[in-house]
Amino acid sequence: MLQIITKKFFPPGERYETLHRAIFYTNYRVMRGEKIITPVGSLLPSTGLHSLATLTCEMLEKQEKYPDGPRPGVFIATTGDDLLNDFAAVISFFLNVTCTPDPAACSTRTSTPRMAKPRR
């Protein structure tokens, strides 16, 4: 999906454009004001959730626009869920961090185990 939205499979021409945004939960620490820009989308630091850091992800989905306009069966946009999940996976592998749209999945991987109190 990431290759499709970066126009690698379509001839030159007009595109349907759909902006998708999501919050990614991560153990990656970004300096305030630092923006990570990639060919697929961008990441901006957001206000964290307890011990989790958050990033706002923006992706511009581009789909081929047909000259005779939209008609039944013509694909003009997706929900963005697959794109966002793919982008989170790429960020995880590239930066060697946890990056996911699911806060529960991130908190179990980034939290520090609590020590048990000794018995008396």
Side-chain angles (χ1 to χ4, degrees):
M1 289 298 290
L2 296 180
Q3 290 178 334
I4 292 171
I5 67 164
T6 56
K7 305 182 281 187
K8 295 196 183 298
F9 293 109
F10 301 128
E14 289 187 70
R15 304 277 182 263
Y16 293 107
E17 294 185 351
T18 306
L19 179 64
H20 298 287
R21 287 192 181 110
I23 298 295
F24 288 163
Y25 300 90
T26 181
N27 58 347
Y28 183 67
R29 300 294 179 211
V30 179
M31 298 294 287
R32 190 168 286 293
E34 180 183 353
K35 185 175 182 178
I36 300 170
I37 301 172
T38 73
V40 177
S42 59
L43 297 169
L44 300 102
S46 300
T47 304
L49 175 68
H50 303 291
S51 64
L52 296 177
T54 57
L55 299 169
T56 299
C57 169
E58 292 183 338
M59 298 179 71
L60 187 62
E61 176 185 4
K62 298 175 184 175
Q63 295 291 339
E64 187 173 22
K65 190 179 258 188
Y66 295 98
D68 52 345
R71 58 184 185 277
V74 172
F75 188 72
I76 62 171
T78 68
T79 62
D81 294 340
D82 290 333
L83 298 172
L84 295 163
N85 287 331
D86 289 352
F87 190 45
V90 169
I91 295 300
S92 292
F93 287 115
F94 183 74
L95 296 176
N96 196 25
V97 296
T98 300
C99 185
T100 176
D102 180 9
C106 191
S107 65
T108 59
R109 291 185 177 91
T110 60
S111 62
T112 55
R114 296 180 184 256
M115 296 188 71
K117 292 183 179 180
R119 292 184 183 183
R120 294 184 181 198

